[in-house]
Amino acid sequence: VINPFDFFLEEYAENFPFEYDDQTHKELLPYLERLTCGKLFDAVLKTLPTTKMRTIDFLVAVNQKVQSLVEYTVRLEPGVQTPEETLEKALGSCRDSAWLLVQLLRYMGLAARFASGYLVQLKADVASLDGPSGPEADFTDLHAWCEVFIPGAGWVGLDPTSGLFASEGHIPLACTPDPISAAPIHGF
């Protein structure tokens, strides 16, 4: 089991908001590109914390905000919904929630990318004594999530479908500035 919080942050990035140094900002430009979004997106953006707080606490809050706003559904149609469409429907697949989170983080000044891969969940060897034991059988499926660049830690995975940080079960196959580049037929 991997502790998803087992990383260090550069001193200047321990609290949010922070700004990337010039070289880091230059290298992260593709991951800072923002879409033009709509009124619902702007309304959600206004509810996000802007006062100084621990960066980890900020990431937890934004990730859980998206999880609370978007009900998960399996969506077989190709492509990714726009953040505005996802908010209008309050419904989306993992890729829709991930893209919404990417855009919210970018609007908050953080470099974020779209991650696509597998989510592997294994049946516990021993039943939990004080809570749910997890899946009743081993489970693997395609999944998408968001990764945010935090100086010192590097790319940190956030899964807005669950509202949790990515862990050992999140196996990335492609991480890109835009979801279209992660599509297996169109990707690199």
Side-chain angles (χ1 to χ4, degrees):
V1 174
I2 295 172
N3 176 356
F5 296 98
D6 188 19
F7 54 80
F8 295 99
L9 303 180
E10 292 288 340
E11 189 174 331
Y12 77 90
E14 287 180 0
N15 291 299
F16 180 84
F18 65 85
E19 292 186 18
Y20 298 111
D21 63 58
D22 290 342
Q23 184 61 33
T24 302
H25 185 269
K26 179 181 173 184
E27 293 174 9
L28 293 173
L29 281 174
Y31 305 99
L32 291 162
E33 185 179 327
R34 301 186 290 185
L35 296 176
T36 301
C37 297
K39 292 178 184 179
L40 292 174
F41 182 88
D42 291 342
V44 171
L45 200 56
K46 288 177 185 173
T47 68
L48 300 182
T50 56
T51 57
K52 186 176 180 177
M53 65 189 304
R54 290 182 52 221
T55 299
I56 301 304
D57 295 337
F58 171 77
L59 295 176
V60 168
V62 176
N63 194 32
Q64 289 182 346
K65 178 73 168 186
V66 173
Q67 192 270 334
S68 73
L69 292 172
V70 182
E71 184 180 342
Y72 173 74
T73 187
V74 174
R75 205 168 58 73
L76 300 177
E77 301 84 14
V80 177
Q81 295 175 170
T82 66
E84 192 71 9
E85 187 178 1
T86 300
L87 290 169
E88 278 176 10
K89 294 178 177 180
L91 185 70
S93 67
C94 54
R95 63 189 186 273
D96 304 318
S97 294
W99 188 232
L100 170 59
L101 181 57
V102 165
Q103 286 300 314
L104 286 170
L105 291 169
R106 288 180 182 181
Y107 268 82
M108 298 302 289
L110 297 175
R113 66 187 185 183
F114 182 86
S116 179
Y118 292 107
L119 178 60
V120 178
Q121 296 175 311
L122 302 177
K123 178 182 175 186
D125 293 334
V126 179
S128 174
L129 297 175
D130 60 351
S133 294
E136 294 182 17
D138 292 351
F139 176 82
T140 303
D141 205 359
L142 291 172
H143 195 54
W145 59 95
C146 166
E147 293 185 348
V148 60
F149 188 84
I150 307 297
W155 292 101
V156 175
L158 304 171
D159 186 345
T161 302
S162 65
L164 301 172
F165 274 49
S167 62
E168 69 276 357
H170 291 78
I171 301 173
L173 297 176
C175 296
T176 64
D178 192 288
I180 191 69
S181 299
I185 296 174
H186 297 297
F188 297 99

